[in-house]
């Protein structure tokens, strides 16, 4: 043990300062009537003097020779900065989706039951196969196949195998496409790097060294730990303890030149609340230690209506958004994803049906034309007939600013929708837009019978059912 450390842990044995004889006088006249506070200061000074006289050099003085001839290193020293040529500095080594980066810790925060594990599985398969499974633009810079270690601390191995094989079936990946994937589960071996004991918060050094050794021996480029809470046994609300765990993962990332991804939980929220990084469960030190933080959020009922997603299918949609970006420009765009049910074909007749597993797939937010077509397609033939007949024989205007003459009021009347509700007005507008897009309706210029001025009205076109054109206007 270095002398500087020995000094820090060497216990000090207190001695009564009145037993020390001052130079040239006795102690009794000095300490009989001395002020208690001054007495305390004098006692501390004498204690410090005793340490110095014992021959222990202060840690702040580098270059002091020890008794064995070695030189003590300073406990801390400042390093002057030397300017560099910026064109010669190495580029940041992003591995995947502008999120996974070598030598750093990234975090994905998600509510329970959303699909975070399935998302991690597909991202791992994208990295090991080198294929853009979740986007059409190369998955954020993925240019070559990587080796990925996936550790799940919650599910048994056979459940993780179901998730992986379902994803492999959906994306048509061959065995050789997933050759770089490693899978371990907490039910077979723990991955607890740090724990809280009676002595305090201590790293489990044998586990840490084993993780480092196996990452390096297997050439692992990225390691996903799901969930983060499985990698420690400390109070998750203790910022100091969580900071030590997060920075320990950072040290592992640095030593192994590997990207470490920690999947974390959100605390319980209102079902319709959009989560932020402030809603991550436990201490904020984990978010502070990560260089990139993503959030997974469910599709809200309002978003489902806007996108034309049926209520029964809303829960299978979610989006990924950046919550913290230290090394890239903050991007508030949502990357939408959907869980598709994939059958494994492992059934045995009607009594033992096959298992179905949710697989994360890319999903694009529909354009206005697509949502309009979806809304228009939801109208029954009988309702459409009533709307078209009234549009042919009455005067209805296309603009939402037309007041009571707006054609959307007619649509809501036929469909039995409350016109005072904003979402119903939006729905009616989409239906009209859909019919205009497919040629069922068109805006025509006609003469206003009241003042002979020209105005625009909405009429069925020749593409409408033939019986509409035969009715007298």
């Amino acid at each position: 043990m270095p002398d500087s450390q020995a000094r820090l842990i060497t216990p000090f044995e207190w001695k009564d300062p009145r037993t020390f004889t001052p130079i040239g006088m006795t102690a009794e006249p000095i300490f009989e009537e001395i002020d208690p506070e001054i007495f305390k200061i004098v006692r501390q000074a004498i204690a410090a003097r005793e340490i110095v006289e014992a021959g222990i050099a202060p840690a702040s003085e580098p270059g002091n020779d020890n008794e064995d001839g070695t030189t003590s290193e300073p406990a801390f020293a400042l390093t002057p900065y030397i300017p560099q040529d910026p064109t010669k500095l190495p580029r940041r080594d992003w591995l995947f989706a502008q999120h996974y980066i070598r030598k750093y810790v990234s975090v994905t925060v998600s509510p329970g039951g959303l699909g975070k594990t399935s998302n991690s599985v597909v991202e791992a398969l994208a990295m090991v196969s080198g294929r853009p499974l979740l986007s059409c633009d190369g998955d954020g810079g993925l240019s070559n196949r990587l080796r990925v270690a996936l550790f799940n601390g919650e599910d048994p191995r056979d459940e993780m195998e179901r998730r992986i094989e379902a994803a492999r079936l959906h994306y048509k990946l061959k065995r050789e496409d997933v050759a770089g994937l490693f899978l371990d589960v907490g039910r077979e071996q723990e991955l607890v790097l740090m724990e809280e004991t009676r002595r305090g918060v201590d790293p489990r050094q044998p586990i840490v060294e084993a993780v480092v050794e196996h990452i390096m021996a297997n050439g692992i480029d990225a390691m996903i730990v799901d969930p983060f809470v499985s990698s420690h046994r400390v109070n998750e609300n203790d910022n100091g303890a969580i900071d030590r765990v997060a920075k320990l993962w950072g040290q592992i990332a640095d030593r192994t030149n590997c990207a470490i991804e920690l999947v974390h939980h959100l605390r319980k929220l209102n079902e319709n609340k959009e989560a932020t990084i402030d809603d991550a469960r436990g201490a904020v030190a984990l978010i502070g230690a990560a260089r990139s933080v993503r959030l997974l959020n469910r599709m809200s009922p309002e978003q489902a209506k806007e996108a034309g997603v049926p209520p029964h299918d809303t829960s299978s949609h979610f989006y990924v958004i950046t919550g913290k970006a230290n090394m890239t420009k903050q991007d508030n765009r949502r990357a939408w994803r959907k869980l598709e049910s994939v059958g494994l074909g492992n059934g045995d007749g009607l009594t033992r049906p096959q298992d179905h597993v949710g697989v994360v797939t890319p999903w694009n937010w529909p354009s206005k034309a697509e949502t309009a077509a979806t809304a228009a397609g939801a109208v029954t033939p009988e309702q459409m007939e009533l709307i078209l007949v009234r549009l042919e024989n009455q005067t209805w205007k296309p603009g939402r600013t037309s007041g009571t003459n707006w054609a959307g009021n007619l649509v809501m009347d036929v469909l039995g929708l409350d016109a005072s509700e904003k979402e119903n007005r939006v729905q009616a507008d989409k239906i009209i837009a859909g019919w205009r897009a497919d040629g069922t309706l068109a805006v025509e210029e006609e003469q206003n019978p009241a003042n002979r001025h020209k105005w625009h009205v909405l009429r069925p076109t020749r593409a409408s059912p033939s019986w509409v054109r035969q009715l007298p206007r």
Side-chain angles (χ1 to χ4, degrees):
M1 178 180 295
D3 286 355
S4 59
Q5 295 184 16
R7 178 183 62 78
L8 292 175
I9 64 173
T10 300
F12 170 66
E13 182 179 351
W14 182 82
K15 295 180 181 179
D16 189 337
R18 287 172 292 187
T19 63
F20 292 94
T21 303
I23 299 175
M25 65 181 71
T26 62
E28 294 302 325
I30 298 293
F31 291 98
E32 281 181 349
E33 300 179 359
I34 195 168
D35 182 271
E37 289 300 317
I38 297 177
F39 178 80
K40 179 179 179 182
I41 295 172
V42 172
R43 186 174 63 187
Q44 292 173 343
I46 294 173
R49 177 183 174 186
E50 182 188 38
I51 294 176
V52 173
E53 291 181 347
I56 303 176
S60 59
E61 298 179 6
N64 290 292
D65 292 333
N66 300 320
E67 293 181 359
D68 59 1
T70 61
T71 301
S72 300
E73 292 293 331
F76 177 78
L78 295 176
T79 304
Y81 175 72
I82 301 175
Q84 306 290 315
D85 180 353
T87 64
K88 301 295 179 60
L89 293 175
R91 289 173 51 86
R92 291 169 180 152
D93 198 351
W94 295 100
L95 297 182
F96 178 74
Q98 290 291 296
H99 179 69
Y100 294 79
I101 179 172
R102 287 192 192 278
K103 296 189 175 184
Y104 289 97
V105 170
S106 58
V107 173
T108 295
V109 186
S110 169
L114 178 63
K116 60 181 178 59
T117 299
S118 297
N119 188 71
S120 295
V121 165
V122 175
E123 288 189 339
L125 292 179
M127 285 187 275
V128 299
S129 66
R131 293 174 53 182
L133 304 184
L134 291 173
S135 70
C136 300
D137 57 1
D139 282 322
L142 179 63
S143 58
N144 58 293
R145 296 180 62 175
L146 305 172
R147 296 171 70 81
V148 180
L150 179 59
F151 179 86
N152 185 278
E154 296 177 329
D155 298 317
R157 178 173 289 274
D158 58 355
E159 179 59 28
M160 289 301 298
E161 289 172 344
R162 293 185 193 99
R163 294 174 187 267
I164 293 171
E165 291 305 317
R168 197 165 68 85
L169 280 171
H170 178 80
Y171 289 108
K172 298 180 175 59
L173 298 176
K174 300 177 181 178
R175 284 179 173 268
E176 53 268 28
D177 292 329
V178 298
L181 181 65
F182 293 74
L183 173 66
D184 291 284
V185 295
R187 297 196 185 190
E188 296 176 356
Q189 57 178 337
E190 290 185 331
L191 183 59
V192 178
L193 301 187
M194 192 168 288
E195 61 183 348
E196 197 166 353
T197 66
R198 292 180 179 179
R199 299 187 305 273
V201 176
D202 295 318
R204 301 177 71 183
Q205 205 59 36
I207 303 296
V208 174
E209 294 303 324
V211 170
V212 170
E213 178 184 349
H214 281 268
I215 289 177
M216 297 182 71
N218 292 286
I220 301 300
D221 298 291
M223 182 171 185
I224 302 173
V225 180
D226 177 17
F228 166 66
V229 70
S230 295
S231 70
H232 66 82
R233 289 194 188 125
V234 304
N235 183 352
E236 70 173 358
N237 295 306
D238 184 336
N239 266 306
I242 293 299
D243 182 65
R244 289 189 62 186
V245 180
K247 287 182 176 174
L248 182 55
W249 274 117
Q251 291 169 11
I252 292 173
D254 187 70
R255 289 176 60 186
T256 60
N257 196 35
C258 176
I260 299 294
E261 160 78 342
L262 304 176
V263 182
H264 191 42
H265 292 107
L266 284 171
R267 64 171 181 262
K268 291 184 178 180
L269 300 174
N270 182 299
E271 188 172 312
N272 296 326
K273 181 183 182 297
E274 183 178 55
T276 68
I277 58 174
D278 295 329
D279 297 313
R281 201 173 77 181
V284 299
L286 174 62
I287 304 303
R291 298 301 89 186
S292 175
V293 181
R294 300 182 302 183
L295 287 157
L296 272 56
N297 267 308
R298 289 186 173 89
M299 174 180 277
S300 68
E302 293 75 21
Q303 289 169 331
K305 289 178 181 178
E306 184 179 350
V309 175
H312 68 271
D313 200 26
T314 303
S315 60
S316 64
H317 294 72
F318 68 93
Y319 63 88
V320 184
I321 190 171
T322 302
K324 172 188 174 185
N326 286 79
M327 298 182 178
T328 59
K329 181 180 178 181
Q330 183 72 29
D331 189 349
N332 294 321
R333 290 179 298 178
R334 295 178 173 90
W336 284 95
R337 293 174 183 174
K338 181 182 179 182
L339 282 167
E340 295 284 359
S341 181
V342 176
L344 296 179
N346 59 347
D348 184 14
L350 296 176
T351 58
R352 294 172 59 86
Q354 65 176 336
D355 290 321
H356 283 81
V357 179
V359 175
V360 171
T361 62
W363 184 81
N364 294 320
W365 186 271
S367 65
K368 288 185 178 180
E370 290 171 330
T371 57
T374 301
V379 179
T380 66
E382 293 78 13
Q383 292 170 330
M384 184 176 181
E385 178 181 345
L386 289 173
I387 293 170
L388 293 179
V389 167
R390 292 180 62 179
L391 284 172
E392 178 70 14
N393 293 280
Q394 298 171 357
T395 301
W396 295 94
K397 305 193 75 176
R400 293 183 65 176
T401 58
S402 304
T404 56
N405 287 333
W406 176 45
N409 292 318
L410 164 61
V411 173
M412 288 185 285
D413 180 53
V414 172
L415 300 184
L417 301 176
D418 184 358
S420 65
E421 296 289 337
K422 178 181 177 180
E423 60 187 47
N424 293 336
R425 297 194 297 272
V426 171
Q427 181 74 358
D429 200 24
K430 289 179 180 177
I431 291 171
I432 293 172
W435 285 341
R436 289 182 63 179
D438 67 13
T440 300
L441 299 178
V443 177
E444 296 182 2
E445 188 179 69
E446 297 181 359
Q447 189 175 25
N448 185 343
N451 53 24
R452 297 184 177 276
H453 292 166
K454 297 290 185 179
W455 64 359
H456 293 98
V457 296
L458 201 60
R459 299 294 186 193
T461 66
R462 296 185 181 278
S464 305
S466 58
W467 54 265
V468 175
R469 305 306 301 177
Q470 297 171 2
L471 291 173
R473 186 173 298 176

